Amino acid sequence: MEEKKNMEIRETFPVTNSTADNQDNYLDLLVSIEANEGQLSLLIGVCDDINYRKEIIARYEAEIAPKIPTYQVTLPRGEPSLRAALAQLVVEHEYLCQGEKAVLTVTGAERLSFIRRNQERSEQEIFFGYLQWTREALRQFPYPVVLWVTQQILINLSKKAPDFWSWRNGVFRFPSKKTAAISRRELEPIRRFLVSREWFESDEDDNDNPYFLPIEDLQHLIKQTEEQRGVKDPSLATFYPRVGQIYRRRLQRGEFQDYQQEQALAIEYFRKAVDLQQELGLEEDLASNLNNLAGLYESLGSYNEAKLLYEQAIEINKRSLSESHRYLANSLNFPNRLVPPKHFVGRKYDIQIAFDCISSRNPDYRGHLALWGGPGVGKSSFLNYLTDPQAWESYGEDPSQAIIVYLDCLDIRPFMPSNFWRQLLNLLQNKLEHSTTLQYEVNLLLEKAEVNHNDLAEILQKIGEQDQFLVLLLDNYDAALYSHEHYTETYLEHFLFHCRYLAYSSEQSRYLSIIVTSLRRLNEIGPKLTPGKSPWYNHYFFHLLKPFTDDEVAELLDSIPITPTWKEEIRAIADGNPTLLQNALYRLYSKLRLGQIPEPEALASELLSNNQQFFQQIWELSNELEQTLLMLIALSALKSRLPNKNFDIGGIENILSNWEVKLIDLEAWGVIREEVKNNKKIYSFASSLMGWWVIQKVYNGNEEEIQQREKAFLKIMSHRKVNKLTGAIRWLWQNREVPINFMGYSVRSVFSS
């Protein structure tokens, strides 16, 4: 047999979980099986959904069976040798002993333990060892062999059995929502409670591994921890709910292998947490655990049990609210203002990128970061967090080496370079209270009639001489990128050139790190490039500050005594936008503090009324094309709620598909979201309130506005479609009395009462 490295390796790569993509992967697998009849061919199938995997196996066996017999074997626990399993299969079947053509399928790898369980080696280590050292012995099996593994095993296969890996003829991935493992990040909250964790700390390369620990191994670790700590250990009162959260989130995200089994485990661990907290008199977090447990019972249909638990949670939180307002003393208690650093949550990845740029560990080089993101994503609070010495220390940086200056460019009106440099030196002066000599130097410069970038270069040199550097945090940098009567394009370009010179070319650049924020990428809003000039922004590392992730939002919502249904309504209202979340949860907090339990529709109506200015801001900061696309998305969503043939706006999906580049920008802002259904991209508003606000804007329009809007419509669609669309809008005006339930709230109360 020729060495596998000389043969073509067919490999599919992770794709979105659509029928069409997995169909292509299936056909690739089928072709590889048929192309390797009568010879050893190692084909690796990857699928975490066991039932889906069974369907795939049954399908290719049925298609191949008329020509080639198929056989299956399951790897044994304890001594999982692929060679031994294949040899046993051959012995058991006379047809295979004769060396006839066949296809062999091997399963069971998904059951092998990752942790050692009081043994010298884990079952996976034994499995990888056999693959590595018995590779040559596989030559005796002249068949296509389809070895099915999970994502977690695949990640380790190339590292633990590289010789076997080099012989593979193909890797065929079948992504699914269901997973057989949990990520290292999800395990982090329970790591310190585990009595056995050398397996966790041994491989630093797996920090971001989403398939780190098989879900079955988690059960063993839990039992081991209970046995060694004792079931009454107070630390388990914190440990149990975190385990319950792992299973609950797997249910919410559709990652479960067996819904009923994992639902039962989630209930079991939240119940253990509640019982232990009540027995030990530990009321902290009890309401949250009661609330989560109630939500799980509600999903089971056990409404009476859920109601009792909700009532207990609400009573506990009423007491805690009246005593110290503990459970909402976090960042969402600061609506429409900067979040204090000690209450800042999430953004760990973004913060690490910022500190990597300004790292004090490399004295010869400072990086520069250009953060951009939509309205309300928290750019100002992010910069404010970077001013906190404790934040620096928590990320392993020495704040004593840095002089940190925060400057909001919107405070400089009108924006002029001379005003900018003077304001910067004024702020810097206030930061030099422990360096009277340097403060004196700044004072001398401020006495000049006009200051410029050279003055800052002079101060940077002196900062460097005392073994420090300047971190300049420039908020709303957009203000510096638009010319006006007294700030011409020429002056603007000179200002940007001077900034780049200080940060990139000057001798003092190693003493300066700049982080700027803007609504859009700098290259989209500043001066256009011309031949012969370097890009004025190419010293920046660009990074998008997105809305909160699902996990960050879930962490925040878990602290509130409301049902899972209510949490879904909050997500529909605010999605991951920090500003909307702050407003929604602060208003909810205010009502709960008074003992009131609001209805979702009432709160949504109040939020829509009180956040008009925020939605107006998003609208006005969008350009004409983006506004047009938002109108189309809103009208498309409205169509399903108005079953009337007179409201005919068919074909919007096709129009949107032609403007995906612009829609990507709106998605980056967190204004819209994209889903793939039946191989088509469907766009919707991330916040239902924003969608309703756009509909209101259409409803409240007039003939003059629609005539102006027609010009924008004609840029993206034909005259016929424009007439069709404007006709539908006019029909809306004529039928304003038609009730529309745009946000889709249910009439039943989602609070327990």
Side-chain angles (χ1 to χ4, degrees):
M1 177 179 174
E2 296 179 3
E3 288 294 324
K4 294 295 176 183
K5 64 182 179 181
N6 296 323
M7 301 184 66
E8 179 184 357
I9 297 175
R10 185 182 293 269
E11 186 160 358
T12 65
F13 293 93
V15 292
T16 53
N17 184 29
S18 69
T19 303
D21 291 322
N22 279 345
Q23 171 66 10
D24 290 342
N25 295 346
Y26 170 78
L27 292 175
D28 285 343
L29 173 60
L30 190 63
V31 168
S32 294
I33 292 173
E34 293 175 338
N36 288 281
E37 293 179 16
Q39 61 180 333
L40 173 63
S41 177
L42 298 175
L43 308 175
I44 302 172
V46 187
C47 185
D48 275 26
D49 185 337
I50 304 304
N51 291 326
Y52 183 35
R53 186 193 70 189
K54 290 178 180 178
E55 292 176 12
I56 297 170
I57 294 173
R59 184 179 171 189
Y60 71 65
E61 287 189 336
E63 292 195 41
I64 292 171
K67 298 185 296 182
I68 310 172
T70 60
Y71 296 86
Q72 290 189 31
V73 64
T74 302
L75 289 168
R77 302 290 297 267
E79 291 292 325
S81 165
L82 175 62
R83 188 211 62 79
L86 294 176
Q88 183 64 32
L89 183 67
V90 171
V91 168
E92 292 174 354
H93 296 277
E94 181 62 28
Y95 177 85
L96 294 176
C97 291
Q98 297 172 4
E100 300 292 341
K101 291 182 179 180
V103 176
L104 312 185
T105 296
V106 183
T107 61
E110 73 280 354
R111 302 181 308 161
L112 305 179
S113 64
F114 171 70
I115 56 177
R116 293 177 181 174
R117 304 195 182 193
N118 300 321
Q119 303 295 323
E120 289 186 7
R121 294 190 299 163
S122 70
E123 288 178 329
Q124 286 192 20
E125 288 175 320
I126 295 172
F127 174 60
F128 295 137
Y130 277 129
L131 291 180
Q132 178 71 356
W133 304 113
T134 62
R135 181 190 69 170
E136 293 292 334
L138 296 176
R139 292 178 184 274
Q140 63 184 291
F141 306 109
Y143 317 105
V145 177
V146 185
L147 172 63
W148 285 94
V149 300
T150 61
Q151 295 278 5
Q152 182 266 331
I153 289 179
L154 179 71
I155 288 172
N156 289 287
L157 186 58
S158 61
K159 295 186 288 186
K160 306 293 186 183
D163 286 351
F164 174 84
W165 180 254
S166 68
W167 270 33
R168 73 196 187 285
N169 292 81
V171 180
F172 307 89
R173 297 170 174 86
F174 296 89
S176 66
K177 280 190 174 181
K178 295 185 177 182
T179 67
I182 51 182
S183 69
R184 186 186 183 107
R185 186 173 288 111
E186 283 185 296
L187 285 169
E188 186 63 43
I190 68 171
R191 178 170 65 96
R192 67 185 179 89
F193 297 99
L194 302 173
V195 295
S196 171
R197 50 178 182 265
E198 69 282 350
W199 53 273
F200 188 95
E201 298 165 345
S202 59
D203 197 342
E204 295 181 358
D205 293 336
D206 283 328
N207 283 337
D208 296 320
N209 185 353
Y211 307 102
F212 183 66
L213 181 73
I215 194 69
E216 288 189 12
D217 277 330
L218 178 62
Q219 280 297 299
H220 171 79
L221 290 171
I222 294 166
K223 291 177 181 176
Q224 183 185 60
T225 300
E226 287 176 327
E227 290 171 358
Q228 296 195 28
R229 289 187 183 274
V231 294
K232 301 299 182 184
D233 189 296
S235 68
L236 295 181
T238 303
F239 173 68
Y240 284 140
R242 294 181 180 180
V243 175
Q245 288 284 24
I246 290 175
Y247 284 105
R248 186 174 72 88
R249 288 174 182 166
R250 282 174 59 81
L251 297 173
Q252 292 174 334
R253 296 191 294 244
E255 296 174 353
F256 55 85
Q257 288 291 333
D258 184 314
Y259 186 89
Q260 291 184 337
Q261 181 184 47
E262 295 194 31
Q263 183 185 51
L265 287 168
I267 290 174
E268 175 186 343
Y269 291 114
F270 278 120
R271 172 57 71 187
K272 284 183 174 182
V274 167
D275 291 345
L276 185 57
Q277 286 174 319
Q278 290 176 334
E279 182 177 344
L280 300 177
L282 305 173
E283 196 162 281
E284 186 176 359
D285 297 328
L286 178 57
S288 177
N289 294 331
L290 286 165
N291 191 57
N292 284 316
L293 185 58
L296 289 164
Y297 276 116
E298 183 181 39
S299 67
L300 276 174
S302 302
Y303 299 114
N304 290 334
E305 180 75 13
K307 180 180 178 181
L308 291 173
L309 293 167
Y310 281 132
E311 288 174 346
Q312 292 179 51
I314 290 171
E315 286 302 315
I316 290 171
N317 275 293
K318 281 181 180 179
R319 292 199 300 272
S320 64
L321 280 171
S322 61
E323 292 167 2
S324 61
H325 315 316
R326 275 197 307 264
Y327 86 100
L328 270 181
N330 56 36
S331 67
L332 296 182
N333 201 11
F334 302 93
N336 302 321
R337 60 191 177 98
L338 292 180
V339 176
K342 68 178 181 179
H343 293 299
F344 192 88
V345 297
R347 303 291 193 202
K348 292 183 179 179
Y349 172 65
D350 308 296
I351 295 167
Q352 188 61 65
I353 284 178
F355 278 118
D356 285 345
C357 282
I358 61 180
S359 176
S360 60
R361 291 188 288 267
N362 187 349
D364 296 323
Y365 171 79
R366 303 289 169 196
H368 310 280
L369 179 64
L371 289 170
W372 66 282
V377 296
K379 299 185 291 293
S380 298
S381 291
F382 184 89
L383 291 187
N384 189 48
Y385 179 76
L386 295 179
T387 66
D388 183 40
Q390 291 184 354
W392 281 60
E393 291 172 353
S394 66
Y395 280 82
E397 298 291 340
D398 182 1
S400 67
Q401 293 186 1
I403 300 172
I404 308 168
V405 174
Y406 169 89
L407 190 161
D408 189 343
C409 294
L410 289 176
D411 291 339
I412 304 173
R413 298 186 180 183
F415 188 91
M416 297 281 290
S418 59
N419 295 340
F420 172 83
W421 299 118
R422 184 170 295 279
Q423 176 72 346
L424 176 54
L425 290 178
N426 274 317
L427 293 170
L428 180 58
Q429 181 190 44
N430 296 332
K431 294 287 184 177
L432 298 175
E433 55 187 22
H434 298 301
S435 178
T436 55
T437 302
L438 198 52
Q439 196 173 50
Y440 175 75
E441 297 285 347
V442 174
N443 282 332
L444 288 178
L445 293 172
L446 287 171
E447 291 176 0
K448 295 170 58 177
E450 186 170 325
V451 294
N452 57 40
H453 68 286
N454 290 321
D455 298 311
L456 180 61
E458 183 179 332
I459 296 301
L460 284 174
Q461 182 63 39
K462 297 182 184 301
I463 289 175
E465 289 171 359
Q466 61 184 33
D467 295 325
Q468 288 186 295
F469 63 98
L470 174 64
V471 177
L472 186 53
L473 307 175
L474 301 180
D475 205 4
N476 296 303
Y477 196 56
D478 320 57
L481 302 177
Y482 293 102
S483 59
H484 53 76
E485 181 182 1
H486 302 292
Y487 182 42
T488 65
E489 286 286 337
T490 301
Y491 285 156
L492 194 161
E493 290 184 12
H494 286 169
F495 171 73
L496 294 177
F497 171 79
H498 293 151
C499 288
R500 184 174 184 273
Y501 170 76
L502 285 172
Y504 185 71
S505 304
S506 72
E507 293 182 4
Q508 296 79 25
S509 62
R510 54 182 169 171
Y511 308 132
L512 175 65
S513 180
I514 305 175
I515 298 180
V516 302
T517 68
S518 59
L519 282 166
R520 300 180 187 273
R521 301 175 187 89
L522 295 183
N523 60 297
E524 295 179 359
I525 54 179
K528 301 301 180 183
L529 299 182
T530 57
K533 291 184 180 180
S534 297
W536 55 269
Y537 47 76
N538 68 355
H539 56 292
Y540 288 108
F541 178 80
F542 282 49
H543 180 66
L544 171 63
L545 199 63
K546 299 179 181 179
F548 282 151
T549 65
D550 288 343
D551 286 343
E552 287 170 334
V553 175
E555 180 182 349
L556 293 167
L557 293 181
D558 284 345
S559 65
I560 302 171
I562 53 177
T563 69
T565 308
W566 225 109
K567 292 177 183 179
E568 291 175 8
E569 299 291 356
I570 291 288
R571 288 302 306 268
I573 289 171
D575 194 55
N577 186 282
T579 293
L580 287 178
L581 282 168
Q582 284 175 338
N583 279 278
L585 295 179
Y586 181 72
R587 290 186 180 278
L588 180 59
Y589 161 78
S590 299
K591 292 182 182 297
L592 290 175
R593 186 172 56 182
L594 297 173
Q596 300 174 6
I597 303 176
E599 291 290 337
E601 288 184 59
L603 184 65
S605 178
E606 183 179 340
L607 285 166
L608 182 60
S609 175
N610 287 289
N611 284 278
Q612 294 281 333
Q613 74 288 346
F614 178 68
F615 301 127
Q616 182 75 27
Q617 179 189 18
I618 293 176
W619 181 260
E620 292 180 354
L621 290 172
S622 302
N623 58 40
E624 183 185 68
L625 175 57
E626 290 168 338
Q627 290 177 359
T628 302
L629 295 173
L630 290 175
M631 287 180 65
L632 294 181
I633 293 171
L635 290 169
S636 179
L638 193 60
K639 180 182 177 182
S640 62
R641 292 170 169 81
L642 285 173
N644 190 302
K645 63 181 180 180
N646 293 315
F647 187 72
D648 185 4
I649 54 169
I652 283 182
E653 292 81 3
N654 293 331
I655 297 171
L656 294 175
S657 67
N658 294 326
W659 293 93
E660 288 185 3
V661 173
K662 284 297 179 184
L663 291 168
I664 288 173
D665 288 341
L666 289 170
E667 190 175 359
W669 268 19
V671 176
I672 64 172
R673 59 169 62 237
E674 171 200 309
E675 293 181 276
V676 178
K677 295 181 179 178
N678 299 322
N679 296 323
K680 290 184 178 180
K681 291 183 178 180
I682 306 298
Y683 296 96
S684 60
F685 284 91
S687 163
S688 58
L689 293 187
M690 181 67 196
W692 185 236
W693 186 91
V694 176
I695 288 296
Q696 282 187 325
K697 188 162 186 66
V698 175
Y699 260 45
N700 296 328
N702 55 47
E703 193 62 36
E704 181 182 353
E705 289 178 358
I706 199 172
Q707 288 178 8
Q708 293 177 348
R709 186 63 62 180
E710 280 184 1
K711 298 176 183 178
F713 289 156
L714 285 170
K715 293 178 181 178
I716 64 173
M717 65 182 81
S718 66
H719 279 278
R720 184 179 63 82
K721 289 184 178 179
V722 169
N723 292 335
K724 192 176 183 182
L725 181 62
T726 54
I729 293 174
R730 290 186 177 97
W731 181 89
L732 284 177
W733 295 346
Q734 297 165 6
N735 295 271
R736 286 190 172 102
E737 74 281 359
V738 177
I740 305 171
N741 185 15
F742 184 78
M743 287 177 284
Y745 289 115
S746 58
V747 294
R748 70 180 183 84
S749 171
V750 292
F751 269 104
S752 296
S753 57

